[in-house]
Amino acid sequence: MVWSGKDVQNWLQEQYGLSVHLGRTYEFLRAAGFTPQRPRPRHVGGDEAAKEAFKSKS
């Protein structure tokens, strides 16, 4: 599962009855060793000829 700040905020409210600001939850996630996860960008305008030339000839 990928945790978001809102998920942590809801979990803290349910488990401990704590009301925590959303910005503080990201600090908790970072302290726990989590990093922001984003999809890798995709190059839309790739050159097909350059791709073929780059492939290994095995």
Side-chain angles (χ1 to χ4, degrees):
M1 176 180 174
V2 178
W3 284 85
S4 70
K6 190 66 174 166
D7 292 334
V8 173
Q9 193 177 33
N10 291 338
W11 182 80
L12 287 170
Q13 180 64 40
E14 291 171 7
Q15 295 294 318
Y16 300 105
L18 297 174
S19 177
V20 180
H21 288 282
L22 186 60
R24 182 65 77 183
T25 61
Y26 291 104
E27 293 176 22
F28 294 155
L29 285 169
R30 182 62 96 181
F34 289 90
T35 58
Q37 303 291 307
R38 295 181 200 91
R40 294 181 68 177
R42 301 287 179 208
H43 295 286
V44 179
D47 182 14
E48 291 298 323
K51 287 182 198 177
E52 288 299 321
F54 185 76
K55 289 183 180 178
S56 65
K57 309 288 190 223
S58 54

Short mmCIF file of all heavy atoms in Angstrom, two decimals:
data_model
loop_
_atom_site.label_atom_id
_atom_site.label_comp_id
_atom_site.label_asym_id
_atom_site.label_seq_id
_atom_site.Cartn_x
_atom_site.Cartn_y
_atom_site.Cartn_z
N MET A 1 0.84 -1.19 0.00
CA MET A 1 0.00 0.00 0.00
C MET A 1 0.88 1.24 0.00
O MET A 1 1.89 1.30 0.69
CB MET A 1 -0.90 0.00 1.23
CG MET A 1 -1.73 1.22 1.36
SD MET A 1 -2.76 1.15 2.84
CE MET A 1 -3.44 2.76 2.79
N VAL A 2 0.50 2.22 -0.76
CA VAL A 2 1.20 3.49 -0.79
C VAL A 2 0.47 4.43 0.15
O VAL A 2 -0.73 4.68 0.00
CB VAL A 2 1.22 4.07 -2.23
CG1 VAL A 2 1.90 5.41 -2.24
CG2 VAL A 2 1.93 3.12 -3.17
N TRP A 3 1.19 4.92 1.15
CA TRP A 3 0.59 5.82 2.14
C TRP A 3 0.64 7.26 1.63
O TRP A 3 1.64 7.70 1.08
CB TRP A 3 1.36 5.75 3.45
CG TRP A 3 1.07 4.54 4.25
CD1 TRP A 3 1.67 3.32 4.13
CD2 TRP A 3 0.11 4.42 5.30
NE1 TRP A 3 1.14 2.45 5.03
CE2 TRP A 3 0.18 3.10 5.77
CE3 TRP A 3 -0.79 5.29 5.88
CZ2 TRP A 3 -0.62 2.63 6.80
CZ3 TRP A 3 -1.59 4.83 6.91
CH2 TRP A 3 -1.50 3.52 7.36
N SER A 4 -0.42 7.97 1.83
CA SER A 4 -0.46 9.41 1.55
C SER A 4 -0.61 10.15 2.88
O SER A 4 -0.89 9.54 3.91
CB SER A 4 -1.63 9.75 0.63
OG SER A 4 -2.86 9.59 1.31
N GLY A 5 -0.41 11.45 2.85
CA GLY A 5 -0.56 12.24 4.06
C GLY A 5 -1.96 12.14 4.63
O GLY A 5 -2.16 12.07 5.85
N LYS A 6 -2.94 12.10 3.75
CA LYS A 6 -4.34 12.00 4.19
C LYS A 6 -4.60 10.65 4.85
O LYS A 6 -5.33 10.56 5.85
CB LYS A 6 -5.27 12.21 3.00
CG LYS A 6 -6.71 12.36 3.38
CD LYS A 6 -6.94 13.63 4.16
CE LYS A 6 -8.42 13.83 4.40
NZ LYS A 6 -8.68 14.84 5.41
N ASP A 7 -3.98 9.58 4.32
CA ASP A 7 -4.13 8.26 4.94
C ASP A 7 -3.56 8.25 6.35
O ASP A 7 -4.16 7.69 7.27
CB ASP A 7 -3.42 7.19 4.10
CG ASP A 7 -4.08 6.95 2.76
OD1 ASP A 7 -5.30 7.20 2.64
OD2 ASP A 7 -3.36 6.52 1.84
N VAL A 8 -2.40 8.85 6.52
CA VAL A 8 -1.76 8.91 7.85
C VAL A 8 -2.62 9.74 8.79
O VAL A 8 -2.81 9.38 9.95
CB VAL A 8 -0.34 9.49 7.75
CG1 VAL A 8 0.26 9.70 9.13
CG2 VAL A 8 0.55 8.57 6.92
N GLN A 9 -3.14 10.84 8.30
CA GLN A 9 -4.00 11.71 9.11
C GLN A 9 -5.23 10.94 9.60
O GLN A 9 -5.57 10.99 10.78
CB GLN A 9 -4.42 12.92 8.27
CG GLN A 9 -5.03 14.04 9.04
CD GLN A 9 -5.35 15.22 8.14
OE1 GLN A 9 -5.70 15.05 6.98
NE2 GLN A 9 -5.21 16.42 8.68
N ASN A 10 -5.87 10.19 8.71
CA ASN A 10 -7.05 9.41 9.09
C ASN A 10 -6.68 8.29 10.06
O ASN A 10 -7.41 8.03 11.02
CB ASN A 10 -7.72 8.82 7.85
CG ASN A 10 -8.37 9.87 7.00
OD1 ASN A 10 -8.70 10.96 7.46
ND2 ASN A 10 -8.55 9.55 5.73
N TRP A 11 -5.55 7.62 9.83
CA TRP A 11 -5.11 6.53 10.70
C TRP A 11 -4.83 7.03 12.12
O TRP A 11 -5.23 6.40 13.10
CB TRP A 11 -3.88 5.87 10.10
CG TRP A 11 -3.39 4.71 10.88
CD1 TRP A 11 -3.89 3.45 10.86
CD2 TRP A 11 -2.31 4.69 11.81
NE1 TRP A 11 -3.18 2.64 11.72
CE2 TRP A 11 -2.20 3.38 12.32
CE3 TRP A 11 -1.41 5.65 12.26
CZ2 TRP A 11 -1.23 3.03 13.25
CZ3 TRP A 11 -0.46 5.30 13.18
CH2 TRP A 11 -0.37 4.00 13.67
N LEU A 12 -4.14 8.17 12.23
CA LEU A 12 -3.85 8.74 13.54
C LEU A 12 -5.14 9.11 14.28
O LEU A 12 -5.25 8.94 15.49
CB LEU A 12 -2.95 9.96 13.42
CG LEU A 12 -1.49 9.67 13.08
CD1 LEU A 12 -0.75 10.96 12.75
CD2 LEU A 12 -0.80 8.95 14.22
N GLN A 13 -6.12 9.60 13.53
CA GLN A 13 -7.40 9.96 14.13
C GLN A 13 -8.13 8.71 14.64
O GLN A 13 -8.65 8.70 15.74
CB GLN A 13 -8.27 10.71 13.12
CG GLN A 13 -9.63 11.12 13.65
CD GLN A 13 -9.56 12.12 14.78
OE1 GLN A 13 -8.74 13.02 14.75
NE2 GLN A 13 -10.40 11.97 15.77
N GLU A 14 -8.13 7.64 13.82
CA GLU A 14 -8.82 6.42 14.21
C GLU A 14 -8.12 5.69 15.36
O GLU A 14 -8.78 5.22 16.28
CB GLU A 14 -8.92 5.47 13.01
CG GLU A 14 -9.82 5.96 11.92
CD GLU A 14 -9.72 5.11 10.66
OE1 GLU A 14 -9.04 4.07 10.68
OE2 GLU A 14 -10.32 5.51 9.65
N GLN A 15 -6.81 5.56 15.29
CA GLN A 15 -6.06 4.76 16.26
C GLN A 15 -5.85 5.47 17.60
O GLN A 15 -5.92 4.85 18.65
CB GLN A 15 -4.70 4.37 15.69
CG GLN A 15 -4.78 3.46 14.49
CD GLN A 15 -5.33 2.09 14.84
OE1 GLN A 15 -5.00 1.50 15.86
NE2 GLN A 15 -6.21 1.59 13.99
N TYR A 16 -5.52 6.76 17.53
CA TYR A 16 -5.12 7.48 18.74
C TYR A 16 -5.99 8.68 19.07
O TYR A 16 -5.76 9.33 20.08
CB TYR A 16 -3.67 7.95 18.59
CG TYR A 16 -2.71 6.80 18.38
CD1 TYR A 16 -2.17 6.54 17.13
CD2 TYR A 16 -2.36 5.96 19.43
CE1 TYR A 16 -1.30 5.49 16.93
CE2 TYR A 16 -1.49 4.90 19.24
CZ TYR A 16 -0.97 4.67 18.00
OH TYR A 16 -0.10 3.62 17.81
N GLY A 17 -6.93 9.00 18.21
CA GLY A 17 -7.79 10.15 18.46
C GLY A 17 -7.07 11.48 18.32
O GLY A 17 -7.51 12.48 18.87
N LEU A 18 -5.96 11.48 17.57
CA LEU A 18 -5.17 12.70 17.38
C LEU A 18 -5.61 13.46 16.14
O LEU A 18 -5.86 12.86 15.09
CB LEU A 18 -3.68 12.36 17.24
CG LEU A 18 -3.01 11.71 18.43
CD1 LEU A 18 -1.58 11.31 18.06
CD2 LEU A 18 -3.01 12.65 19.61
N SER A 19 -5.69 14.76 16.26
CA SER A 19 -5.96 15.61 15.12
C SER A 19 -4.64 16.27 14.72
O SER A 19 -4.09 17.09 15.45
CB SER A 19 -7.00 16.68 15.50
OG SER A 19 -7.20 17.55 14.42
N VAL A 20 -4.13 15.86 13.57
CA VAL A 20 -2.81 16.32 13.11
C VAL A 20 -2.98 17.06 11.80
O VAL A 20 -3.74 16.64 10.93
CB VAL A 20 -1.88 15.10 12.91
CG1 VAL A 20 -0.52 15.54 12.44
CG2 VAL A 20 -1.77 14.29 14.18
N HIS A 21 -2.26 18.18 11.65
CA HIS A 21 -2.29 18.92 10.39
C HIS A 21 -1.69 18.08 9.27
O HIS A 21 -0.76 17.30 9.49
CB HIS A 21 -1.53 20.23 10.51
CG HIS A 21 -2.24 21.25 11.34
ND1 HIS A 21 -3.29 21.98 10.88
CD2 HIS A 21 -2.05 21.63 12.63
CE1 HIS A 21 -3.72 22.79 11.83
NE2 HIS A 21 -2.99 22.59 12.92
N LEU A 22 -2.22 18.25 8.08
CA LEU A 22 -1.79 17.45 6.93
C LEU A 22 -0.29 17.62 6.66
O LEU A 22 0.40 16.64 6.37
CB LEU A 22 -2.60 17.84 5.69
CG LEU A 22 -2.38 17.00 4.44
CD1 LEU A 22 -2.71 15.55 4.70
CD2 LEU A 22 -3.21 17.54 3.30
N GLY A 23 0.23 18.82 6.78
CA GLY A 23 1.65 19.04 6.53
C GLY A 23 2.54 18.26 7.48
O GLY A 23 3.61 17.79 7.11
N ARG A 24 2.10 18.08 8.71
CA ARG A 24 2.88 17.35 9.71
C ARG A 24 2.94 15.86 9.37
O ARG A 24 3.93 15.20 9.65
CB ARG A 24 2.24 17.55 11.08
CG ARG A 24 2.96 16.90 12.21
CD ARG A 24 4.32 17.46 12.46
NE ARG A 24 4.22 18.74 13.15
CZ ARG A 24 5.26 19.48 13.45
NH1 ARG A 24 6.46 19.08 13.14
NH2 ARG A 24 5.11 20.63 14.04
N THR A 25 1.90 15.33 8.73
CA THR A 25 1.89 13.91 8.39
C THR A 25 3.00 13.57 7.39
O THR A 25 3.56 12.48 7.43
CB THR A 25 0.53 13.47 7.82
OG1 THR A 25 0.25 14.19 6.62
CG2 THR A 25 -0.57 13.69 8.83
N TYR A 26 3.32 14.50 6.49
CA TYR A 26 4.41 14.25 5.54
C TYR A 26 5.75 14.20 6.26
O TYR A 26 6.64 13.46 5.87
CB TYR A 26 4.39 15.30 4.43
CG TYR A 26 3.19 15.14 3.52
CD1 TYR A 26 2.10 15.99 3.61
CD2 TYR A 26 3.15 14.10 2.60
CE1 TYR A 26 1.01 15.82 2.79
CE2 TYR A 26 2.06 13.92 1.78
CZ TYR A 26 0.99 14.80 1.87
OH TYR A 26 -0.10 14.61 1.06
N GLU A 27 5.89 14.97 7.33
CA GLU A 27 7.10 14.89 8.14
C GLU A 27 7.19 13.52 8.82
O GLU A 27 8.27 12.94 8.90
CB GLU A 27 7.11 16.00 9.19
CG GLU A 27 7.24 17.39 8.61
CD GLU A 27 7.14 18.47 9.67
OE1 GLU A 27 7.38 18.17 10.86
OE2 GLU A 27 6.82 19.61 9.31
N PHE A 28 6.06 13.00 9.30
CA PHE A 28 6.04 11.67 9.91
C PHE A 28 6.45 10.61 8.89
O PHE A 28 7.22 9.70 9.20
CB PHE A 28 4.65 11.33 10.45
CG PHE A 28 4.20 12.17 11.61
CD1 PHE A 28 2.85 12.35 11.86
CD2 PHE A 28 5.10 12.78 12.46
CE1 PHE A 28 2.40 13.12 12.93
CE2 PHE A 28 4.67 13.54 13.54
CZ PHE A 28 3.33 13.71 13.77
N LEU A 29 5.89 10.70 7.68
CA LEU A 29 6.23 9.73 6.64
C LEU A 29 7.72 9.76 6.31
O LEU A 29 8.36 8.72 6.17
CB LEU A 29 5.40 10.00 5.39
CG LEU A 29 3.94 9.59 5.44
CD1 LEU A 29 3.18 10.16 4.25
CD2 LEU A 29 3.81 8.09 5.48
N ARG A 30 8.27 10.96 6.20
CA ARG A 30 9.70 11.10 5.88
C ARG A 30 10.55 10.54 7.02
O ARG A 30 11.53 9.84 6.77
CB ARG A 30 10.02 12.57 5.64
CG ARG A 30 11.45 12.84 5.26
CD ARG A 30 11.83 12.17 3.99
NE ARG A 30 11.70 13.11 2.90
CZ ARG A 30 11.95 12.80 1.65
NH1 ARG A 30 12.35 11.60 1.34
NH2 ARG A 30 11.80 13.68 0.72
N ALA A 31 10.18 10.79 8.26
CA ALA A 31 10.91 10.28 9.41
C ALA A 31 10.85 8.75 9.49
O ALA A 31 11.79 8.11 9.95
CB ALA A 31 10.37 10.89 10.71
N ALA A 32 9.77 8.16 8.98
CA ALA A 32 9.62 6.71 8.98
C ALA A 32 10.35 6.07 7.81
O ALA A 32 10.35 4.85 7.67
CB ALA A 32 8.14 6.33 8.94
N GLY A 33 10.97 6.88 6.95
CA GLY A 33 11.75 6.34 5.84
C GLY A 33 11.02 6.26 4.52
O GLY A 33 11.56 5.74 3.55
N PHE A 34 9.80 6.77 4.47
CA PHE A 34 9.06 6.77 3.21
C PHE A 34 9.50 7.95 2.35
O PHE A 34 9.87 9.00 2.86
CB PHE A 34 7.55 6.88 3.46
CG PHE A 34 6.95 5.64 4.04
CD1 PHE A 34 6.88 5.46 5.41
CD2 PHE A 34 6.47 4.63 3.22
CE1 PHE A 34 6.33 4.32 5.95
CE2 PHE A 34 5.92 3.48 3.75
CZ PHE A 34 5.85 3.33 5.12
N THR A 35 9.48 7.77 1.05
CA THR A 35 9.81 8.84 0.11
C THR A 35 8.62 9.08 -0.80
O THR A 35 7.83 8.16 -1.04
CB THR A 35 11.05 8.49 -0.74
OG1 THR A 35 10.78 7.28 -1.45
CG2 THR A 35 12.28 8.31 0.13
N PRO A 36 8.50 10.28 -1.34
CA PRO A 36 7.40 10.53 -2.28
C PRO A 36 7.53 9.64 -3.52
O PRO A 36 8.61 9.55 -4.10
CB PRO A 36 7.56 12.01 -2.65
CG PRO A 36 8.42 12.59 -1.58
CD PRO A 36 9.28 11.48 -1.08
N GLN A 37 6.47 8.97 -3.88
CA GLN A 37 6.49 8.09 -5.04
C GLN A 37 5.69 8.71 -6.17
O GLN A 37 4.53 9.05 -6.01
CB GLN A 37 5.88 6.72 -4.67
CG GLN A 37 6.58 6.04 -3.53
CD GLN A 37 7.98 5.60 -3.92
OE1 GLN A 37 8.17 4.92 -4.91
NE2 GLN A 37 8.96 6.01 -3.12
N ARG A 38 6.34 8.84 -7.32
CA ARG A 38 5.69 9.40 -8.50
C ARG A 38 6.02 8.52 -9.69
O ARG A 38 7.11 7.95 -9.76
CB ARG A 38 6.21 10.80 -8.78
CG ARG A 38 5.86 11.80 -7.70
CD ARG A 38 6.39 13.18 -8.07
NE ARG A 38 6.48 14.00 -6.88
CZ ARG A 38 7.54 14.10 -6.09
NH1 ARG A 38 8.62 13.43 -6.37
NH2 ARG A 38 7.54 14.86 -5.04
N PRO A 39 5.11 8.42 -10.66
CA PRO A 39 5.44 7.64 -11.85
C PRO A 39 6.56 8.31 -12.64
O PRO A 39 6.69 9.54 -12.63
CB PRO A 39 4.14 7.61 -12.64
CG PRO A 39 3.31 8.70 -12.10
CD PRO A 39 3.77 8.97 -10.71
N ARG A 40 7.36 7.50 -13.31
CA ARG A 40 8.43 8.04 -14.12
C ARG A 40 7.84 8.73 -15.34
O ARG A 40 6.88 8.25 -15.93
CB ARG A 40 9.37 6.93 -14.56
CG ARG A 40 10.10 6.31 -13.38
CD ARG A 40 11.02 5.26 -13.82
NE ARG A 40 12.12 5.88 -14.57
CZ ARG A 40 13.14 5.21 -15.06
NH1 ARG A 40 13.21 3.92 -14.92
NH2 ARG A 40 14.09 5.83 -15.71
N PRO A 41 8.43 9.84 -15.77
CA PRO A 41 7.90 10.54 -16.95
C PRO A 41 8.14 9.72 -18.21
O PRO A 41 9.13 8.99 -18.32
CB PRO A 41 8.69 11.84 -16.97
CG PRO A 41 9.92 11.57 -16.19
CD PRO A 41 9.57 10.53 -15.18
N ARG A 42 7.26 9.84 -19.14
CA ARG A 42 7.38 9.16 -20.43
C ARG A 42 7.66 10.20 -21.50
O ARG A 42 7.04 11.27 -21.54
CB ARG A 42 6.09 8.43 -20.79
CG ARG A 42 5.70 7.39 -19.77
CD ARG A 42 6.62 6.21 -19.87
NE ARG A 42 6.26 5.20 -18.88
CZ ARG A 42 7.12 4.36 -18.36
NH1 ARG A 42 8.37 4.40 -18.72
NH2 ARG A 42 6.74 3.49 -17.47
N HIS A 43 8.60 9.88 -22.37
CA HIS A 43 8.93 10.79 -23.45
C HIS A 43 7.96 10.56 -24.61
O HIS A 43 7.92 9.48 -25.19
CB HIS A 43 10.37 10.58 -23.91
CG HIS A 43 11.36 10.91 -22.84
ND1 HIS A 43 11.66 12.20 -22.49
CD2 HIS A 43 12.10 10.13 -22.03
CE1 HIS A 43 12.54 12.20 -21.52
NE2 HIS A 43 12.83 10.94 -21.22
N VAL A 44 7.21 11.58 -24.91
CA VAL A 44 6.18 11.45 -25.92
C VAL A 44 6.77 11.53 -27.33
O VAL A 44 6.40 10.78 -28.21
CB VAL A 44 5.11 12.56 -25.74
CG1 VAL A 44 4.04 12.45 -26.80
CG2 VAL A 44 4.51 12.47 -24.35
N GLY A 45 7.72 12.43 -27.53
CA GLY A 45 8.24 12.67 -28.88
C GLY A 45 9.52 11.92 -29.17
O GLY A 45 10.45 12.50 -29.71
N GLY A 46 9.59 10.64 -28.85
CA GLY A 46 10.80 9.87 -29.12
C GLY A 46 11.02 9.66 -30.61
O GLY A 46 10.07 9.52 -31.39
N ASP A 47 12.28 9.61 -31.02
CA ASP A 47 12.64 9.42 -32.42
C ASP A 47 12.84 7.93 -32.66
O ASP A 47 13.75 7.30 -32.11
CB ASP A 47 13.94 10.19 -32.71
CG ASP A 47 14.37 10.09 -34.16
OD1 ASP A 47 13.55 9.66 -34.99
OD2 ASP A 47 15.53 10.43 -34.45
N GLU A 48 11.97 7.33 -33.48
CA GLU A 48 12.02 5.89 -33.73
C GLU A 48 13.33 5.46 -34.36
O GLU A 48 13.88 4.41 -34.02
CB GLU A 48 10.84 5.47 -34.61
CG GLU A 48 9.49 5.55 -33.92
CD GLU A 48 9.39 4.64 -32.72
OE1 GLU A 48 9.94 3.52 -32.75
OE2 GLU A 48 8.76 5.04 -31.73
N ALA A 49 13.88 6.26 -35.27
CA ALA A 49 15.15 5.91 -35.92
C ALA A 49 16.28 5.89 -34.90
O ALA A 49 17.15 5.00 -34.92
CB ALA A 49 15.45 6.90 -37.04
N ALA A 50 16.28 6.83 -33.97
CA ALA A 50 17.32 6.87 -32.95
C ALA A 50 17.19 5.68 -32.01
O ALA A 50 18.20 5.12 -31.57
CB ALA A 50 17.24 8.18 -32.17
N LYS A 51 15.97 5.27 -31.71
CA LYS A 51 15.76 4.12 -30.85
C LYS A 51 16.32 2.85 -31.50
O LYS A 51 16.96 2.04 -30.85
CB LYS A 51 14.27 3.92 -30.57
CG LYS A 51 13.66 4.92 -29.63
CD LYS A 51 12.20 4.55 -29.42
CE LYS A 51 11.40 5.69 -28.87
NZ LYS A 51 9.98 5.33 -28.74
N GLU A 52 16.04 2.68 -32.79
CA GLU A 52 16.52 1.50 -33.50
C GLU A 52 18.04 1.49 -33.57
O GLU A 52 18.66 0.45 -33.44
CB GLU A 52 15.91 1.44 -34.90
CG GLU A 52 14.44 1.09 -34.92
CD GLU A 52 14.17 -0.28 -34.32
OE1 GLU A 52 14.95 -1.22 -34.54
OE2 GLU A 52 13.13 -0.40 -33.62
N ALA A 53 18.65 2.65 -33.78
CA ALA A 53 20.11 2.73 -33.88
C ALA A 53 20.76 2.44 -32.52
O ALA A 53 21.89 1.94 -32.45
CB ALA A 53 20.52 4.11 -34.39
N PHE A 54 20.06 2.73 -31.45
CA PHE A 54 20.62 2.57 -30.11
C PHE A 54 20.59 1.10 -29.65
O PHE A 54 21.39 0.68 -28.84
CB PHE A 54 19.84 3.43 -29.11
CG PHE A 54 20.40 3.42 -27.74
CD1 PHE A 54 21.55 4.14 -27.44
CD2 PHE A 54 19.81 2.69 -26.72
CE1 PHE A 54 22.09 4.13 -26.16
CE2 PHE A 54 20.33 2.68 -25.45
CZ PHE A 54 21.47 3.39 -25.17
N LYS A 55 19.64 0.32 -30.17
CA LYS A 55 19.51 -1.07 -29.75
C LYS A 55 20.78 -1.85 -30.06
O LYS A 55 21.46 -1.63 -31.05
CB LYS A 55 18.32 -1.73 -30.46
CG LYS A 55 16.99 -1.23 -29.97
CD LYS A 55 15.87 -1.98 -30.67
CE LYS A 55 14.52 -1.46 -30.18
NZ LYS A 55 13.41 -2.12 -30.87
N SER A 56 21.09 -2.79 -29.16
CA SER A 56 22.31 -3.59 -29.34
C SER A 56 22.13 -4.57 -30.50
O SER A 56 21.03 -5.05 -30.75
CB SER A 56 22.67 -4.33 -28.07
OG SER A 56 21.67 -5.28 -27.77
N LYS A 57 23.19 -4.86 -31.16
CA LYS A 57 23.16 -5.77 -32.31
C LYS A 57 23.66 -7.14 -31.89
O LYS A 57 24.77 -7.53 -32.19
CB LYS A 57 24.05 -5.22 -33.43
CG LYS A 57 23.81 -3.79 -33.81
CD LYS A 57 22.50 -3.64 -34.57
CE LYS A 57 22.43 -2.24 -35.14
NZ LYS A 57 21.16 -1.63 -35.00
N SER A 58 22.87 -7.89 -31.14
CA SER A 58 23.33 -9.21 -30.70
C SER A 58 22.58 -10.32 -31.36
O SER A 58 21.70 -10.25 -32.07
CB SER A 58 23.21 -9.35 -29.19
OG SER A 58 21.93 -9.07 -28.72
#
